Amino acid sequence: MSLSNAPPPNLEPWQSHAPALGVYVHIPFCVLKCAYCDFNSYAGLSELHAPYVAALISELQLQTERADRPIVDTVYVGGGTPTVLPPDAVGSILTALHECCRVAADAEITLEANPGTVSRQTLHALRGHGVNRLSLGVQSFDDAELRLLGRIHSAAQAREAVSAARAAGFTNLNLDLIYGLPYQSVAGWLTSLEGALRLEPDHLSLYCLTLEEGTPLYEEVSRGSVPASDPDLAAEMYERARDLLARHGFVHYELSNWARHATTSRYNSRLSLEPGCRSCRHNLKYWTGQPYLGIGAGAHSYLNSVRWRNVSQPAAYIDAISHSGSARCDEELITTEGRMAEAMFLGLRLVAGVRWSELYARLGCDLRRKYVLELAELDSEGLLTVDAESARLTPRGQLLANQVFVRFLSSCERSGRPGADRE
Ligand code: SF4
């Protein structure tokens, strides 16, 4: 992809920031490392929790002081496991955010939680600190699968966490589930999914297991002590989930994400994406090229065509913030060519696809003309539906989405040039 690693001196992404920003806050701590996890997360390190929170607040103050209290309309506290921190620590981060930024009155404020680290009291306190959307990493309702994944909680604890979240006043609740596991059958997967549906979540994120090199599960599969999952079975699980969730009134709005339609929900919350659909407003920023600021170890930011990343290790992050006020280790200016390719392969993750008029307004370029060859090929292969208004993945294209995305990446590589241009 034609991204430059050599930004000009004095790169100043805050110069003309967009009116509303998403803020991502990374909490890299977990109780134990799960067997499949290659996220930027670390077990233990409890001695770093307090200095890390102090560093987060410093970074937030330093990052935003040049921007005259930017408007923020979504906040996402992710990890790791944010709920390993005491609720008051999360509260202090959110208080700092309100001091440094103009947080919209109806801002979506999401927090990821592990069912093994929450109680009715902690969830009540988090709700009191302003968290209004909870994302629970349930992953499965089968205890044997949870053990295989190295999760610290049981299915019963996940059900208790949902009940505690509702009792604490959370009216916007997501559950994460994983499919395509070793030993998992289609029937077993549907049993887990039906278990989730009985809890009436407002949103579901369904991810196919990816075996990441270096993880304990990858090693076990490589050694042959655990069978590899069958990709055809995983595809069938996805299709069956898509059908089941449609029958239960969920809107499939992104490849891995479904939101309950308001008319089928018992709970009220701010609606987004389309009338009645409770899509995650923060994640929509990633898929639609909107600006976001990432705070914390390994967090990514994207603002005015500049993308940067912080150092990953929590101790190195704390040191960098305390010594220089910045933990940036990598930044790049995204070329116009790169932005166009990203607009296609990120936008096509949305089930509604990309709208040519919206892309023209954002990028000043007719992407239907630019990608005329790729679009015609993908249309003829039955992977995309292309018309005068938009392009979107077909149901088959949703199963083979990576084959679609790579066409835009390779087109970008063919026509990209070294260096970077900035609009
Ligand atoms: S809880 Fe999440 S971030 Fe932590 S180790 Fe498990 S999968 Fe990774």
Side-chain angles (χ1 to χ4, degrees):
M1 184 169 178
S2 60
L3 303 179
S4 165
N5 286 317
N10 303 320
L11 196 64
E12 183 42 273
W14 285 112
Q15 272 166 2
S16 57
H17 63 82
L21 199 61
V23 173
Y24 174 79
V25 180
H26 190 67
I27 309 296
F29 308 114
C30 290
V31 176
L32 290 175
K33 191 80 177 166
C34 298
Y36 60 99
C37 178
D38 81 332
F39 302 146
N40 185 35
S41 65
Y42 306 84
L45 300 185
S46 54
E47 71 283 4
L48 293 184
H49 290 186
Y52 184 82
V53 170
L56 284 177
I57 292 172
S58 294
E59 188 190 14
L60 189 58
Q61 289 164 341
L62 291 162
Q63 281 288 341
T64 54
E65 68 185 8
R66 286 169 291 172
D68 189 23
R69 299 188 74 228
I71 296 171
V72 168
D73 64 354
T74 67
V75 180
Y76 196 105
V77 185
T81 305
T83 42
V84 298
L85 296 180
D88 283 353
V90 175
S92 66
I93 297 165
L94 294 179
T95 299
L97 193 73
H98 280 273
E99 286 165 3
C100 299
C101 307
R102 284 167 284 168
V103 180
D106 64 349
E108 173 191 271
I109 303 180
T110 302
L111 182 114
E112 289 183 345
N114 182 313
T117 58
V118 293
S119 66
R120 199 164 281 222
Q121 289 76 16
T122 57
L123 290 172
H124 194 267
L126 288 165
R127 184 72 193 91
H129 286 306
V131 177
N132 57 24
R133 183 172 184 273
L134 194 73
S135 179
L136 276 174
V138 169
Q139 316 311 356
S140 170
F141 282 97
D142 180 313
D143 283 338
E145 289 177 357
L146 290 170
R147 281 192 295 275
L148 176 76
L149 293 171
R151 300 290 300 179
I152 60 165
H153 57 87
S154 64
Q157 280 175 293
R159 284 188 285 270
E160 283 158 21
V162 170
S163 151
R166 293 305 195 193
F170 283 97
T171 58
N172 199 354
L173 179 66
N174 170 61
L175 304 182
D176 280 353
L177 293 177
I178 303 182
Y179 64 95
L181 306 179
Y183 305 111
Q184 190 178 42
S185 64
V186 174
W189 160 239
L190 292 175
T191 301
S192 248
L193 190 53
E194 281 158 0
L197 287 170
R198 276 195 290 280
L199 299 173
E200 302 186 319
D202 305 283
H203 189 283
L204 283 164
S205 296
L206 311 183
Y207 300 110
C208 186
L209 177 73
T210 311
L211 280 179
E212 301 289 355
E213 207 171 337
T215 60
L217 192 55
Y218 177 93
E219 301 305 331
E220 287 193 84
V221 171
S222 303
R223 278 200 309 271
S225 50
V226 168
S229 12
D230 175 349
D232 291 337
L233 215 53
E236 188 182 343
M237 291 177 193
Y238 183 79
E239 288 181 306
R240 296 285 294 273
R242 203 167 51 186
D243 294 346
L244 181 66
L245 294 179
R247 289 201 299 279
H248 279 77
F250 278 81
V251 178
H252 186 195
Y253 73 96
E254 194 270 347
L255 283 175
S256 306
N257 288 283
W258 284 257
R260 189 181 277 283
H261 203 279
T263 55
T264 62
S265 174
R266 289 165 44 194
Y267 303 96
N268 295 315
S269 71
R270 152 95 189 237
L271 309 176
S272 52
L273 187 65
E274 60 180 77
C277 175
R278 280 185 196 162
S279 44
C280 176
R281 288 161 52 201
H282 183 83
N283 286 342
L284 280 169
K285 287 185 187 286
Y286 301 140
W287 300 314
T288 56
Q290 303 303 306
Y292 53 87
L293 174 66
I295 298 291
H300 291 242
S301 302
Y302 177 64
L303 201 56
N304 288 333
S305 302
V306 182
R307 179 169 293 131
W308 70 89
R309 179 174 71 84
N310 283 346
V311 292
S312 300
Q313 296 276 341
Y317 168 79
I318 295 167
D319 271 2
I321 294 294
S322 64
H323 287 110
S324 71
S326 169
R328 284 191 203 187
C329 64
D330 193 15
E331 61 184 13
E332 58 193 3
L333 196 56
I334 312 293
T335 62
T336 303
E337 198 70 39
R339 290 176 64 210
M340 290 191 281
E342 281 194 2
M344 290 303 295
F345 66 76
L346 292 175
L348 285 171
R349 293 193 62 88
L350 297 173
V351 172
V354 292
R355 293 190 72 76
W356 307 125
S357 56
E358 192 277 323
L359 294 182
Y360 189 86
R362 189 177 358 141
L363 298 163
C365 178
D366 181 353
L367 294 198
R368 190 179 174 208
R369 276 185 62 191
K370 174 173 176 54
Y371 293 118
V372 65
L373 291 178
E374 290 83 356
L375 292 168
E377 279 173 17
L378 291 163
D379 198 344
S380 71
E381 290 164 26
L383 299 174
L384 272 191
T385 301
V386 183
D387 57 35
E389 305 293 321
S390 64
R392 58 203 169 276
L393 293 170
T394 61
R396 183 166 163 265
Q398 289 175 5
L399 290 170
L400 301 169
N402 285 339
Q403 289 183 28
V404 175
F405 301 155
V406 79
R407 302 288 177 92
F408 299 101
L409 278 168
S410 41
S411 156
C412 176
E413 276 155 9
R414 279 199 303 276
S415 56
R417 59 180 172 76
D421 52 349
R422 186 163 184 222
E423 292 165 302

